[in-house]
Amino acid sequence: MAILKILEFPDPRLRNVAKPVTTVDETIKRLVADMFDTMKDAQGIGLAASQVDVHQRVIVMNLGDEDIGPRVFINPEIEVLDDSIDPYEEGCLSVPGFYEKVDRPAHVMIRALDAEGNAFEEEAQGLLAVCIQHEIDHLEGKLFVDYLSPFKRQRIRKKLEKIHRQNA
Ligand code: GNR
Ligand code: NI
């Protein structure tokens, strides 16, 4: 078990496109365990492997909802089920301290492999739908700040760069 370092915007490594997992082997299972440790330590509700500089299509999630619990999504795909849009105030462990409203499809079907490599599908709405889309964006090298105006994105970038300089 290990707590991994979470990359922060504007680190260019967050822009890598993750590759599909070919087999859910011991290496992937160890990665999943380390990602759960890292997510819990950082008090996040979701984490994509891209955020810990592993560019494979692996997501962990724990929405803190007893009905849903800790979840693993490997090679996830989503299908948008209708035209409804849900605005949600999003945050990101790779953009610490900033929260902004993002509009996303409200109802999606998720198809993925679970932690044992078994295929499953699940209809999602609410926070699960928001979070899975946010995490799949990470696997594509995309961040929630990309949905904001260039002005807002630049302001966030400058503030984080300043903090990173101070920490260096
Ligand atoms: O912890 C997180 N909270 C959150 C809140 C609203 C929308 C998305 C998220 S995901 C985020 C953790 C994270 O950065 N995952 O990539
Ligand atoms: Ni994020």
Side-chain angles (χ1 to χ4, degrees):
M1 301 288 184
I3 291 166
L4 308 172
K5 188 171 131 51
I6 297 176
L7 301 177
E8 294 186 3
F9 177 68
D11 193 308
R13 291 172 290 182
L14 288 166
R15 299 309 187 176
N16 290 344
V17 178
K19 294 193 162 62
V21 170
T22 50
T23 48
V24 180
D25 57 14
E26 285 309 311
T27 306
I28 294 294
K29 289 178 183 177
R30 194 169 319 119
L31 171 65
V32 165
D34 290 345
M35 286 173 64
F36 272 115
D37 286 351
T38 304
M39 178 175 65
K40 187 168 187 210
D41 178 71
Q43 297 179 45
I45 59 172
L47 188 70
S50 314
Q51 293 177 275
V52 294
D53 204 21
V54 175
H55 302 286
Q56 300 212 59
R57 302 185 82 84
V58 176
I59 289 166
V60 298
M61 213 182 278
N62 193 342
L63 300 180
D65 181 323
E66 287 159 33
D67 294 346
I68 304 181
R71 302 293 307 274
V72 178
F73 302 90
I74 296 170
N75 299 344
E77 307 273 357
I78 56 164
E79 177 192 344
V80 176
L81 294 178
D82 59 48
D83 291 339
S84 58
I85 299 290
D86 200 2
Y88 199 92
E89 191 92 352
E90 296 197 16
C92 181
L93 295 172
S94 296
V95 191
F98 296 90
Y99 298 86
E100 297 284 349
K101 188 181 73 73
V102 176
D103 287 333
R104 297 187 190 269
H107 301 128
V108 298
M109 182 66 80
I110 307 169
R111 295 186 179 87
L113 304 179
D114 66 18
E116 273 70 54
N118 300 309
F120 69 97
E121 62 175 28
E122 174 175 8
E123 213 175 306
Q125 56 182 319
L127 189 55
L128 176 59
V130 171
C131 199
I132 194 72
Q133 292 177 79
H134 175 113
E135 303 310 340
I136 290 175
D137 274 354
H138 277 299
L139 302 180
E140 292 298 318
K142 190 162 186 181
L143 301 171
F144 85 90
V145 297
D146 300 344
Y147 296 100
L148 308 179
S149 69
F151 174 78
K152 276 192 176 174
R153 185 164 54 252
Q154 181 75 347
R155 198 189 53 181
I156 292 170
R157 189 160 81 89
K158 294 283 180 225
K159 286 185 179 174
L160 283 174
E161 280 173 341
K162 185 173 177 193
I163 290 167
H164 297 157
R165 273 199 306 276
Q166 286 166 343
N167 292 346

